[in-house]
Amino acid sequence: MSDDRARVVIVGGGVAGASIAYHLTKMGWDDVLLIDRSELTSGSTFHSAGLVGQLRSSVSLTKMMMYGVELYRRLARETGVDPSWHEVGSLRLASSRERIEELQRLAGWGQTFGLPLRIIATDEAVGLWPLFDPAGVEGAAYLPTDGYLDPTNLTMALTEGAKRRGARVWTGTRVTGIDVERGRVTGVRFAERDPVETDVVVNAAGMYANQIGALVGIEVPVIPFAHQYLLTKPIDGVRAEMPTIRDPDRLVYFRPEAGGGLVAGGYERDPAPWNWQEGPPIDFNNTLLEEDWDRFEPLANGAFSLVPAMREAEIVRMINGPEAFTPDGEFILGESSVRGFFVATGFCAHGIAGAGGVGKVMAEWIVHGEPELDAWTMDIRRFGPHYRARGYALARAVEIYATYYDIHYPNEERQAGRPLKTAPTYERLHALGAAFGEKAGWERPNWFEVNAAERFEPLRPRGWAGRHWSTAIATEHTATRERAGLFDESSFAKIEIWGDGACAFLQRICANDVDRGVGAVVYTQMLNARGGIECDLTVTRLGSTRFRIITGTAFGTHDLAWITKQLGETDDIRIADVTGSFACFGVWGPSARAILERVTSADLSNEAFSYMSAKEIVVGDVPCLAARVTYVGELGWELYPSIEFGRSLWDALVEAGEPHGMLPAGYRAIDSLRLEKGYRAWGSDITPEDTPLEAGLSFAVDLDKDFLGRAALKRQMEAGLSRRLRSVVLADPRAMCQGNEPVFANGRVVSRVTSGGLGYTLGASIALAYLPSELAEAGTSLSVEVFGERVDAIVADDPLYDPKGERIRA
Ligand SMILES: Cc1cc2nc3c(=O)[nH]c(=O)nc-3n(C[C@H](O)[C@H](O)[C@H](O)COP(=O)(O)OP(=O)(O)OC[C@H]3O[C@@H](n4cnc5c(N)ncnc54)[C@H](O)[C@@H]3O)c2cc1C
C-alpha cells in the first residue's frame, strides 16, 4: 500500500470512523485509511457517558442498535481490546398513566424484534435498583440486554480490529481539502502531509462534519449542542451491575460507575447550541466546555428527587461536552450528492449505542452501493435544500432536543421554523380553518375545521390515536366517496427528465414499462439490485423525449438523488426538480367529471380521457396538465397548473364544485381513503427491504423488459414468496393502528403493522402487515396488540374497497 493512494479515506477517528473502518475491512476492503487531526476519540467520543440502549424510534435504527450489542459482546475476544461491556440491562420508569401507555406501546413494538423488553411493577424495579424513590412511579420497562461500556476502549477495540485486517491509521493529520472532478471525489489534501488519491471519502467528523461537507460544497445540517452529566464519588448501595435507569418525566438518566459512583445526566428544556453558525474551532480537541451548573439545575433537581442519596453524594466532576445533533433527531448517513462522498454523523448523543450498526450500514452502503436495511429516516437525502438555512436547522434541532423526553403522540406535528413553504392557496386554506401539518417544510392541510361534524364523534379512535384527530377527517372522506373532495397537493415532488436518452434511461431504472405513448401515466417502482423498492412514483410521458415524475412530498430529494445516481457516463439526459413550478389539485369522487365539465370544454369521457392518461387542458381560465390518476380510489383528475395560476384554479374549482357538494379535504382523509383501497405508502408499507412481489405490486412490474432489480425478482419468483403484504381488519373499529404494532397468530408474534388507520366508508380499522405466506390467506384469524390490548383481526380480501376498480374507471 502506498502513502499516496487509498481505496477509502475516513475523516474522523471517533467511534463512528473507527467502526466504519472495522466493518469495511471485515467486508474485505483492506486498503482503508482512517485519519484524525488530533488523537483518536478526541472529539465527542472521549467524554461520552457510554450508555447503550437499543429500543429506538424506527425499525431500522433498533435493528442497528441490537446489532451493536451483539458486536460489543464479542469485541474483547476478537480484538484483544476490552470495551468494558457491562450487560446490566436498563429500566425506563413511568411516573404517570400516560407513560405506562407509552411503555406498553414500546413493549409491543419491542416484541416484534425479539427484544426481551417487559413491563414490570414498581416493586420489581426497586429490587433491581434499590436507590430510587418509588413514590409516584407506576411501573417500568425493563430490557435486560441493554448496558454500558467505555467509549474510548470501544473505539480502540474497533480500530484494532480494522488494523489487524490492514487498515492504516494516521492521527495528527488534518484534512484541508477534498478534490472533486465531474461530481466525483478524487482525493484528499492535508495540512501536514502530501495528498492522497481516493474514490471514496467518509465524513465521520462528528460535530465538525459540516466543515468537512463544505469542502465539497454540501451542507451537513448538524448543530453542536453542549450536553452534560455529572459523576459522583461512591454511594452506598451502588453496584456496577445495576441497570442503567431513565426517568423521562424528571428528564434524567443514571448509570452505575465501576467504582460505586453514579453518572447522572439528561436532556434540559433549554438546550445550549454551541458555535452552531460557524462550527467548532479547528483546534477543539480533547477539550470540554465550562461546567454550566445553572442549566444543569433542573436535571439535578430531578436526580435528587428520584435518587435521594444523590443529595448527599460528593460530585467528582461535571462533564460538559459538545455533540452533533440534527434537525429531526435522527442520524445522518449515506452518500451525498457528490459521488463517493459519504457522511456518517449527527448521532444526537447516541453515537456509542449506534456505532456498531452505523459501521455495518455504512460499510454496506460503500461496498454495495446501498445498505441492506431501510435507512431512509437516516439518509442524508431526506434533507431538502431548505436545510442549508442554518437558522432553520437550528430551530428544528432545538425543538427536538428540548422535547426529547416528552411523550410524542401519534400524528403530532412539529412547530419550529413554520410556516416555511406555502402553496398559492395558503390564505384560502387558512380561511377554511385548515389544520396544517408540515412535510419537507411545506404547510399541508391535514383537515379543515369547517368540515367538523358532531355526528362522526362516535368514531373517534380510542386512546392516544384520538388526540390529533377530528371528525372533519370522516366528513371529508365520506364526501369524497359520495360526491367529491378537492385536495391541494401542491407540495407533491415533481421531477422532469428529458433528452434523447430519457426513455431508455427510465426503462432501465423503472420496473414497469414506461415506453408508452405520449400522455401515458405509468405507476412504477424503481428497485435496487436486491429488488427492494427505492422509489414509488408515477411517470407521465409529456413528449417523445420528456417525462414528468410525481412522487411524495417528503421523497423528492431522495428520489432525485436515486435517479441521478443511476445515470451512466454516456447518458445524455437532463434532470430537474420542478416541484416549486407547479401547483397540484386533486378533484376526486363520483361527481368529479360533472364538476370539471362545468369549467372545461375538454372531453373528459372515458373514450377521450382514459384512466392513467394525461393531457394539457384549460380549466376556468387556467391552462394545466390534467392527469387521470388517483390515490383515493375514486374517479378524478390531478391538475397541474403553473404555480402563478394556482389560486385562480383553486377558486374556479371551488365554485364549480359547490352545487355538487364538493368539500375541501386534507391529507388525513387521503390516508384513510387509500388504506381502504390498499394503496401502499413508500417509507412504511414499501421500503428498500421489500420487493414489489412481496408488496402485492406485481401488476406494476414488466418482467419482459430489462431493468435494475429484475434478476432479483426472477430469483424470488423461482424460490417462492415467504411473506406478503396484506390488509388486516380489526374487530374493534375504533382500535386504530399507527404502525409498528405487533401482529399475533396462535399466540406468537408473526409480524408488525406497517401502517394503519380507520376506513370511514367500511367502518373498519385497517392495518397493513407483511404476513408469512402461510398466514396470508384471506379469512385467517390473527390479533393485533394496540396499546397493550390484543384485538382480534382477520386477513381481508385485498383491496377492501372497489376490488374491481370500477369507480376509478367510471
Ligand atoms: C456529554 C455527552 C454524553 C454522551 N453520552 C452518550 C451515551 O451515554 N451513549 C451514547 O450512545 N452516546 C453518548 N454521547 C454521544 C457520543 O459521544 C457521540 O455520538 C459520539 O462520540 C460521536 O462520535 P463521532 O465519531 O461521530 O464523532 P467524534 O468523536 O467527535 O469524532 C470526530 C473526529 O473528527 C475529527 N476531525 C474533525 N475535523 C477534522 C479534520 N478536518 N481532519 C481530520 N479529522 C477531523 C475530530 O478530531 C474528531 O476526533 C454523549 C455525548 C456527550 C457530549
Side-chain angles (χ1 to χ4, degrees):
M1 273 178 245
S2 71
D3 273 1
D4 57 6
R5 184 148 184 96
R7 194 165 185 190
V8 47
V9 176
I10 302 167
V11 184
V15 71
S19 184
I20 296 165
Y22 172 92
H23 285 90
L24 276 173
T25 53
K26 194 136 201 162
M27 288 178 74
W29 279 33
D30 52 1
D31 187 7
V32 170
L33 177 56
L34 174 65
I35 62 147
D36 199 286
R37 67 185 184 193
S38 178
E39 295 159 23
L40 297 180
T41 78
S42 61
S44 295
T45 300
F46 82 95
H47 51 64
S48 168
L51 279 82
V52 175
Q54 297 165 86
L55 195 63
R56 302 285 301 149
S57 55
S58 72
V59 176
S60 297
L61 191 51
T62 306
K63 286 184 188 164
M64 284 163 63
M65 299 294 187
M66 289 169 71
Y67 166 77
V69 166
E70 254 174 70
L71 175 70
Y72 305 158
R73 279 180 190 141
R74 63 177 146 86
L75 263 184
R77 242 182 0 259
E78 189 189 312
T79 65
V81 181
D82 186 358
S84 306
W85 170 241
H86 288 67
E87 195 160 317
V88 293
S90 71
L91 287 168
R92 191 180 176 93
L93 304 182
S95 299
S96 66
R97 195 60 238 154
E98 301 235 299
R99 278 287 175 201
I100 287 279
E101 284 170 11
E102 184 191 41
L103 296 187
Q104 271 161 347
R105 199 166 166 221
L106 288 176
W109 189 26
Q111 290 178 60
T112 70
F113 298 96
L115 269 181
L117 180 86
R118 52 190 183 91
I119 308 295
I120 60 174
T122 307
D123 285 355
E124 192 178 344
V126 172
L128 291 162
W129 223 93
L131 278 83
F132 85 81
D133 177 359
V137 176
E138 301 211 5
Y142 175 49
L143 180 50
T145 52
D146 277 351
Y148 67 92
L149 48 60
D150 181 322
T152 297
N153 289 356
L154 172 63
T155 310
M156 295 309 173
L158 291 164
T159 311
E160 178 60 24
K163 284 207 289 202
R164 285 186 183 184
R165 289 186 289 265
R168 287 170 286 167
V169 180
W170 295 353
T171 51
T173 306
R174 183 161 59 88
V175 170
T176 53
I178 295 171
D179 299 318
V180 176
E181 279 170 32
R182 284 187 287 144
R184 184 172 251 305
V185 161
T186 56
V188 183
R189 282 173 279 126
F190 309 102
E192 299 82 1
R193 55 198 302 162
D194 291 338
V196 168
E197 284 176 17
T198 186
D199 297 331
V200 182
V201 171
V202 185
N203 176 1
M207 62 187 151
Y208 321 93
N210 197 31
Q211 285 138 310
I212 301 296
L215 300 177
V216 297
I218 67 151
E219 179 78 24
V220 183
V222 287
I223 304 284
F225 280 98
H227 193 61
Q228 304 194 94
Y229 63 87
L230 52 77
L231 229 102
T232 72
K233 283 208 165 161
I235 298 177
D236 271 353
V238 172
R239 291 172 289 107
E241 299 312 313
M242 275 172 18
T244 61
I245 187 167
R246 291 175 185 78
D247 184 345
D249 293 313
R250 292 178 172 97
L251 310 175
V252 285
Y253 64 77
F254 297 86
R255 78 159 170 78
E257 266 281 276
L262 279 179
V263 166
Y267 287 77
E268 311 87 342
R269 290 256 175 236
D270 58 337
W274 177 73
N275 281 318
W276 63 273
Q277 186 74 273
E278 67 283 13
I282 63 164
D283 56 353
F284 189 88
N285 279 96
N286 275 323
T287 311
L288 290 173
L289 304 175
E290 234 174 76
E291 300 166 355
D292 188 344
W293 287 99
D294 287 346
R295 214 162 52 78
F296 198 76
E297 198 180 322
L299 304 188
N301 291 339
F304 295 159
S305 95
L306 184 69
V307 183
M310 282 288 292
R311 289 172 213 253
E312 313 303 327
E314 221 178 299
I315 309 295
V316 180
R317 63 191 299 213
M318 160 89 92
I319 305 282
N320 188 6
E323 152 75 340
F325 284 78
T326 65
D328 58 3
E330 304 287 348
F331 297 178
I332 303 182
L333 307 180
E335 191 173 12
S336 71
S337 52
V338 175
R339 284 208 194 168
F341 188 77
F342 289 80
V343 179
T345 181
F347 300 123
C348 308
H350 290 86
I352 306 303
V358 165
K360 181 168 184 287
V361 163
M362 288 300 296
E364 288 165 1
W365 218 318
I366 293 162
V367 174
H368 298 313
E370 69 243 8
E372 276 172 25
L373 50 72
D374 169 24
W376 164 239
T377 53
M378 295 166 258
D379 195 321
I380 186 165
R381 290 170 292 177
R382 72 187 182 276
F383 296 111
H386 52 294
Y387 281 97
R388 288 210 294 268
R390 295 292 288 167
Y392 181 76
L394 172 75
R396 306 287 284 182
V398 164
E399 183 184 42
I400 284 283
Y401 189 113
T403 58
Y404 176 77
Y405 272 140
D406 286 0
I407 293 176
H408 296 288
Y409 297 97
N411 299 310
E412 190 175 282
E413 294 287 347
R414 298 190 53 200
Q415 300 305 328
R418 296 176 54 186
L420 184 64
K421 301 187 209 168
T422 56
T425 50
Y426 185 63
E427 275 74 30
R428 297 283 195 270
L429 306 183
H430 221 285
L432 290 165
F436 284 106
E438 179 266 340
K439 263 260 154 74
W442 283 90
E443 293 297 316
R444 313 190 320 163
N446 280 334
W447 66 77
F448 293 90
E449 276 308 328
V450 287
N451 296 330
E454 200 51 36
R455 70 190 167 101
F456 288 119
E457 193 52 45
L459 298 180
R460 183 175 289 277
R462 276 184 220 296
W464 287 22
R467 277 184 174 243
H468 297 287
W469 184 87
S470 164
T471 52
I473 303 167
T475 311
E476 292 163 16
H477 172 122
T478 312
T480 306
R481 287 272 186 259
E482 293 173 357
R483 304 180 305 276
L486 175 60
F487 298 83
D488 184 334
E489 300 178 322
S490 300
S491 64
F492 273 5
K494 309 157 197 101
I495 298 166
E496 284 197 7
I497 300 185
W498 69 100
D500 285 346
C503 184
F505 170 65
L506 283 169
Q507 282 292 74
R508 213 166 70 216
I509 62 172
C510 292
N512 209 341
D513 177 15
V514 299
D515 187 4
R516 305 188 195 187
V518 171
V521 182
V522 178
Y523 171 56
T524 185
Q525 286 78 43
M526 293 176 179
L527 311 181
N528 57 37
R530 301 187 314 274
I533 301 172
E534 292 286 346
C535 311
D536 177 68
L537 38 78
T538 60
V539 179
T540 301
R541 191 163 202 166
L542 300 178
S544 60
T545 58
R546 191 174 197 101
F547 296 81
R548 186 182 297 167
I549 285 174
I550 305 294
T551 184
T553 307
F555 311 138
T557 324
H558 169 274
D559 291 5
L560 185 64
W562 175 263
I563 294 165
T564 312
K565 194 172 151 188
Q566 311 313 317
L567 273 178
E569 298 273 316
T570 54
D571 283 317
D572 181 19
I573 290 164
R574 298 285 161 79
I575 302 178
D577 181 348
V578 296
T579 302
S581 306
F582 300 96
C584 171
F585 305 119
V587 185
W588 287 308
S591 307
R593 183 179 283 122
I595 291 168
L596 283 176
E597 278 172 351
R598 298 188 70 221
V599 273
T600 184
S601 55
D603 185 350
L604 301 178
S605 66
N606 268 332
E607 297 67 40
F609 209 141
S610 57
Y611 179 56
M612 297 307 275
S613 68
K615 272 184 197 173
E616 288 289 343
I617 64 172
V618 173
V619 178
D621 294 331
V622 176
C624 56
L625 181 77
R628 189 167 165 193
V629 290
T630 177
Y631 193 51
V632 304
E634 296 294 339
L635 167 72
W637 282 262
E638 278 175 359
L639 305 174
Y640 292 90
S642 200
I643 198 90
E644 65 276 21
F645 292 107
R647 200 157 55 181
S648 303
L649 181 55
W650 174 267
D651 289 345
L653 293 170
V654 168
E655 202 183 317
E658 209 157 26
H660 293 269
M662 180 178 76
L663 292 184
Y667 278 87
R668 293 285 295 280
I670 294 183
D671 199 46
S672 148
L673 292 156
R674 70 99 192 164
L675 268 171
E676 287 186 336
K677 192 67 183 132
Y679 291 146
R680 278 68 172 128
W682 192 78
S684 53
D685 305 321
I686 46 178
T687 75
E689 291 179 55
D690 314 307
T691 72
L693 309 182
E694 295 164 329
L697 296 172
S698 338
F699 68 89
V701 176
D702 182 355
L703 284 168
D704 291 338
K705 63 162 194 129
D706 201 14
F707 59 88
L708 178 58
R710 176 172 175 268
L713 296 192
K714 284 260 194 192
R715 281 196 300 276
Q716 192 174 49
M717 279 174 95
E718 275 155 30
L721 292 180
S722 60
R723 57 183 205 132
R724 292 161 204 270
L725 184 61
R726 298 306 308 266
S727 297
V728 169
V729 172
L730 280 71
D732 177 355
R734 290 178 57 216
M736 179 160 144
C737 294
Q738 304 292 325
N740 290 326
E741 291 82 358
V743 180
F744 295 81
N746 306 318
R748 67 184 179 88
V749 179
V750 292
S751 183
R752 88 172 64 86
V753 170
T754 55
S755 71
L758 303 192
Y760 302 100
T761 302
L762 302 170
S765 167
I766 306 164
L768 293 175
Y770 284 92
L771 298 173
S773 290
E774 64 279 13
L775 295 172
E777 283 307 308
T780 306
S781 292
L782 304 167
S783 62
V784 180
E785 191 176 299
V786 187
F787 283 101
E789 255 178 59
R790 294 270 177 97
V791 182
D792 288 342
I794 195 146
V795 181
D797 276 318
D798 253 333
L800 284 152
Y801 179 77
D802 187 24
K804 295 201 180 123
E806 285 160 345
R807 295 179 72 93
I808 53 182
R809 292 185 176 78

